[in-house]
């Protein structure tokens, strides 16, 4: 692509915005359209976890590691991202969970992931706020945190200038080769269109996704507390997360007892991140069958609050906010499953979506791959 290449990005979420960043890095002119006045999708509803620890060995881990490098570089240039190389602790509360963590720490790629198995005292030395009951933990030094509610405006401010145009409140309703039309009727011509519509599977991307299949939507429940009067130095995960992340698909996983009650019904795992203001973002649940519930379920929150309090050994501050979010993910059951969905759907129009629960983590590396011949 030549120096004056013009790129139109559709979607103001993290995937669209990271594509804008990559396009500008290459000297291209960028116009970015977002249907809402500000992005309201998965990218602002997530934990802000740059999560390397749970990734599957092979291409998924490599993508996450590359993304981690890019986040770190961006974090140094754009302080507003709130990037912190905080690491994470995955905590075991039973012998079976601890055995599985031992297996994970003995993986051949454990060093690439920054894994180290810690006993309970060593866990407390790394994260003194953990005063509850646990048998040990897996420290992953490479996991990191960003502030999801700040990332998009901070990146746009970083891009601001003549060669970058942000057009919020413009819903793209038509696609043609090398062009899109927004709901006001304006056409945007360019050399390359990048469509990043997130979980909008029936909108502009609908007919292409219906044809190719292979993506589904997942709904999660989340909450955030008022500031906690203590510093949580790392991100936290509980033993339930061992059931969901592919890095823990090791022989010891078969020995884990089934999840009980509400945790099983809502496919819950505890992930906890302290925000820059001291509040705690806590989740999550997983709902796969549509139509999704339109309200949030208190039983799931009671369960997650109980798990968090048991590990912290202290009552949580008041819950300030609750919300649900939906992400797009390539269907694990689809043949030849990719890490995300990318397809040239019309000449000069590339659709990128479906990174699933790793989308915040991997977005910079996914955008880099789009522009890498
Ligand atoms: C609750 C929750 C927690 C998560 N936690 C993490 C985490 O901690 N770490 C991690 O790596 N991943 C996490 N994820 C996944 C991650 O958030 C998503 O994979 C990622 O944000 C997807 O980004 P996106 O830009 O594709 O989608 P979105 O953020 O949904 O952005 C898509 C944008 O496109 C816009 N749009 C759609 N159609 C049009 C149109 N026709 N015209 C104009 N604009 C349009 C939408 O309005 C939207 O703003 C989580 C997801 C959820 C829901």
């Amino acid at each position: 692509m030549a120096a004056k290449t013009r790129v139109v990005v559709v979607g103001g979420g993290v995937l669209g915005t990271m594509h804008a960043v990559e396009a500008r890095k290459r000297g291209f002119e960028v116009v970015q359209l977002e249907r809402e006045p500000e992005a309201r999708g998965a990218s602002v509803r997530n934990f802000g976890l740059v999560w390397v620890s749970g990734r599957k060995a092979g291409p998924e881990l490599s993508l996450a590691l590359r993304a981690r490098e890019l986040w770190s570089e961006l974090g140094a240039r754009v302080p507003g991202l709130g990037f912190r190389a905080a690491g994470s602790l995955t905590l075991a509360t039973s012998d079976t969970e601890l055995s599985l963590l031992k297996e994970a720490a003995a993986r051949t790629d454990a060093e690439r992931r920054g894994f180290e198995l810690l006993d309970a005292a060593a866990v407390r030395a790394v994260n003194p706020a953990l005063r509850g009951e646990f048998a040990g933990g897996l420290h992953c030094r490479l996991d990191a945190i960003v502030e999801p509610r700040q990332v998009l405006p901070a990146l746009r401010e970083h891009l601001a200038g003549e060669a970058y145009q942000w057009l919020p409140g413009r819903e793209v309703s038509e696609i043609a080769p090398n062009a899109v039309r927004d709901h006001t009727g304006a056409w945007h011509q360019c050399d390359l269109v990048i469509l990043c519509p997130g979980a909008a599977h029936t909108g502009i991307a609908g007919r292409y996704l219906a044809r190719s299949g292979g993506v589904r939507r997942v709904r999660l429940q989340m909450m955030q507390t008022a500031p906690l009067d203590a510093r949580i130095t790392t991100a936290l995960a509980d033993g339930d997360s061992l059931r969901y992340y592919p890095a823990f698909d090791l022989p010891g996983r078969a020995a884990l007892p089934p999840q009980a009650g509400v945790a099983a019904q809502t496919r819950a795992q505890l992930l906890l991140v302290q925000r820059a203001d001291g509040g705690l973002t806590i989740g999550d649940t997983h709902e796969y069958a549509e139509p999704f519930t339109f309200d949030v379920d208190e039983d799931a929150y009671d369960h997650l609050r109980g798990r968090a309090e048991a590990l912290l050994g202290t009552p949580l501050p008041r819950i300030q906010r609750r919300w649900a979010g939906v992400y797009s993910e390539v269907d694990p059951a689809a043949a030849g499953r990719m890490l995300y969905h990318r397809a040239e759907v019309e000449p000069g129009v590339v659709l990128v979506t479906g990174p699933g629960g790793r989308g915040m983590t991997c977005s910079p590396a996914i955008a880099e791959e789009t522009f890498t011949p």
Side-chain angles (χ1 to χ4, degrees), residues 6-7 11-12 24 51 60 87 91 128 130 133 145 148 158 169 227 232 252 263 281 296 301 340 368:
R6 183 175 150 89
V7 176
R24 286 298 302 123
W51 201 246
E60 184 174 331
L91 298 167
L130 289 167
E133 291 298 315
I145 300 170
H158 170 66
I232 312 233
T281 303
V296 290
Y301 287 125
Y340 56 92
E368 185 179 64

Side-chain angles (χ1 to χ4, degrees), residues 91-111:
L91 298 167
T93 51
S94 68
D95 290 345
T96 42
E97 288 176 359
L98 192 60
S99 304
L100 183 49
L101 291 187
K102 273 185 198 150
E103 271 184 68
R107 293 183 60 105
T108 51
D109 57 14
E111 207 175 311

Side-chain angles (χ1 to χ4, degrees), residues 112-330:
R112 275 185 93 200
R113 295 169 191 266
F115 276 178
E116 188 186 359
L117 187 71
L118 303 179
D119 63 21
V123 164
R124 287 194 182 95
V126 169
N127 200 334
L130 289 167
R131 280 174 284 167
E133 291 298 315
F134 43 84
L138 185 68
H139 189 202
C140 174
R141 279 188 305 277
L142 282 185
D143 286 337
I145 300 170
V146 293
E147 291 299 305
R149 292 170 194 240
Q150 295 173 202
V151 162
L152 304 175
L155 286 175
R156 294 200 305 266
E157 199 184 315
H158 170 66
L159 293 175
E162 270 181 21
Y164 173 72
Q165 208 184 352
W166 163 242
L167 296 179
R170 301 284 190 110
E171 178 157 355
V172 168
S173 52
E174 200 176 333
I175 297 171
N178 298 98
V180 298
R181 181 151 71 164
D182 69 36
H183 76 282
T184 70
W187 278 98
H188 306 270
Q189 310 278 349
C190 60
D191 300 283
L192 180 64
V193 176
I194 313 270
L195 300 177
C196 299
H201 286 183
T202 52
I204 32 152
R207 67 189 148 126
Y208 307 114
L209 291 173
R211 219 181 285 152
S212 63
V215 287
R216 65 173 181 179
R217 305 196 311 161
V218 182
R219 177 184 177 274
L220 291 74
Q221 277 190 206
M222 305 280 286
M223 61 178 154
Q224 191 164 318
T225 72
L228 176 78
D229 193 15
R231 197 165 153 257
I232 312 233
T233 55
T234 65
L236 299 176
D238 75 351
D240 280 336
S241 71
L242 302 174
R243 295 178 166 86
Y244 294 104
Y245 285 108
F248 303 112
D249 192 4
L250 297 164
R253 181 137 94 174
L256 295 179
Q259 278 185 292
V262 73
Q265 280 158 31
T266 58
R267 296 183 177 87
Q269 64 177 344
L270 176 76
L271 296 176
L272 185 154
V273 179
Q274 189 166 39
R275 298 269 65 95
D277 73 355
L280 307 178
T281 303
I282 297 173
D284 58 14
T285 58
H286 297 91
E287 187 178 355
Y288 300 101
E290 297 205 42
F292 292 140
T293 323
F294 58 82
D295 46 9
V296 290
D297 174 46
E298 199 58 24
D299 288 347
Y301 287 125
D302 287 345
H303 164 77
L304 291 168
R305 187 172 33 225
R307 295 299 296 245
E309 290 180 343
L311 296 175
L312 292 170
T314 182
L316 289 181
R318 189 171 77 91
I319 306 301
Q320 194 91 42
R321 304 186 181 115
R322 298 167 206 266
W323 67 94
V326 175
Y327 61 67
S328 164
E329 132 175 298
V330 282

Side-chain angles (χ1 to χ4, degrees), residues 14-15 34-35 42-43 46-47 49 172 327 356-361:
V14 73
L15 264 190
E34 162 58 46
R35 65 182 173 185
S43 303
N46 64 44
F47 293 93
L49 283 171
V172 168
Y327 61 67
R358 57 189 164 225
M360 193 73 167
T361 301

